[in-house]
């Protein structure tokens, strides 16, 4: 979890490849109207996020039911979102990719081909409720060092 540009997809895909697990990007579950709003620099409301969060929650539940080792990259900025997504399951581990707004702005400015408008980053930091549970990883290192730190902290 983390704000846009924190490396959720990059790190998630690297971890998934390393362990032969599934990878899903929660951005793929956004309805078209959410992607359109974000591409225009319009922040999503909780009402906008509701159906998307439900779709991500359904994916989490299905993976748990089917006992599938899976990594899901999802912003999950607020505690209420994380509570909904994990449904209190001890089988779900949360990894927070934490970085400075300056670093993430630089990354987003260099990114192309994504619907997220860099103008929205401030709204994400404003909405962010840093988790008190789970694993917190500083994203200033290389993707490989971040993956190694997560692997070690999860005892994988």
């Amino acid at each position: 979890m983390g704000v846009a540009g924190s490396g959720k997809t990059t790190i998630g895909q690297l971890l998934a490849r390393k362990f032969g697990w599934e990878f899903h990007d929660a951005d793929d579950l956004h309805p078209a109207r959410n992607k359109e709003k974000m591409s225009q620099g319009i922040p999503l409301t909780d009402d906008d996020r509701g159906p998307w969060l439900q779709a991500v929650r359904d994916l989490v539940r299905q993976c748990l039911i089917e006992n599938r080792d899976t990594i899901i990259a999802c912003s999950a900025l607020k505690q209420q979102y994380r509570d909904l997504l994990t449904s209190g399951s001890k089988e779900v581990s949360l990894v927070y990719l934490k970085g400075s707004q300056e670093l993430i702005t630089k990354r987003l400015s260099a990114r192309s081909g994504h619907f997220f408008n860099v103008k929205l980053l401030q709204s994400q930091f404003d909405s962010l409720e840093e988790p008190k549970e789970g694993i917190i990883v500083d994203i200033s290192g290389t993707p490989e060092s971040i993956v190694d730190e997560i692997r070690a902290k999860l005892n994988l």
Side-chain angles (χ1 to χ4, degrees), residues 69-130:
D69 292 323
T70 307
I71 295 170
I72 302 172
C74 181
S75 54
L77 298 175
K78 294 183 180 182
Q79 186 62 49
Q80 69 185 30
Y81 304 163
R82 295 187 293 272
D83 291 345
L84 174 75
L85 296 174
T86 63
S87 301
S89 173
K90 303 275 188 224
E91 297 177 58
V92 177
S93 297
L94 177 72
V95 176
Y96 169 37
L97 300 177
K98 181 176 180 172
S100 71
Q101 190 165 351
E102 179 183 353
L103 172 62
I104 293 172
T105 299
K106 183 178 172 185
R107 288 181 177 185
L108 284 174
S109 296
R111 183 164 79 173
S112 63
H114 194 278
F115 62 83
F116 188 84
N117 188 319
V118 71
K119 294 177 191 174
L120 291 175
L121 185 59
Q122 184 61 54
S123 71
Q124 289 218 327
F125 273 99
D126 291 346
S127 294
L128 177 63
E129 296 171 3
E130 291 193 338

Side-chain angles (χ1 to χ4, degrees), residues 18-78:
K18 186 170 195 108
F19 296 108
W21 293 2
E22 288 181 40
F23 174 79
H24 297 274
D25 193 327
D27 281 348
D28 296 337
L29 300 174
H30 270 295
R33 69 181 163 77
N34 284 7
K35 290 180 182 181
E36 181 63 27
K37 281 181 83 169
M38 287 186 280
S39 71
Q40 294 175 9
I42 302 168
L44 298 181
T45 65
D46 281 348
D47 287 340
D48 294 325
R49 287 186 188 94
W52 170 69
L53 288 166
Q54 186 60 51
V56 178
R57 178 181 170 193
D58 292 346
L59 174 60
V60 170
R61 283 184 170 173
Q62 194 62 39
C63 291
L64 288 169
I65 289 167
E66 295 174 4
N67 199 30
R68 296 172 7 217
D69 292 323
T70 307
I71 295 170
I72 302 172
C74 181
S75 54
L77 298 175
K78 294 183 180 182

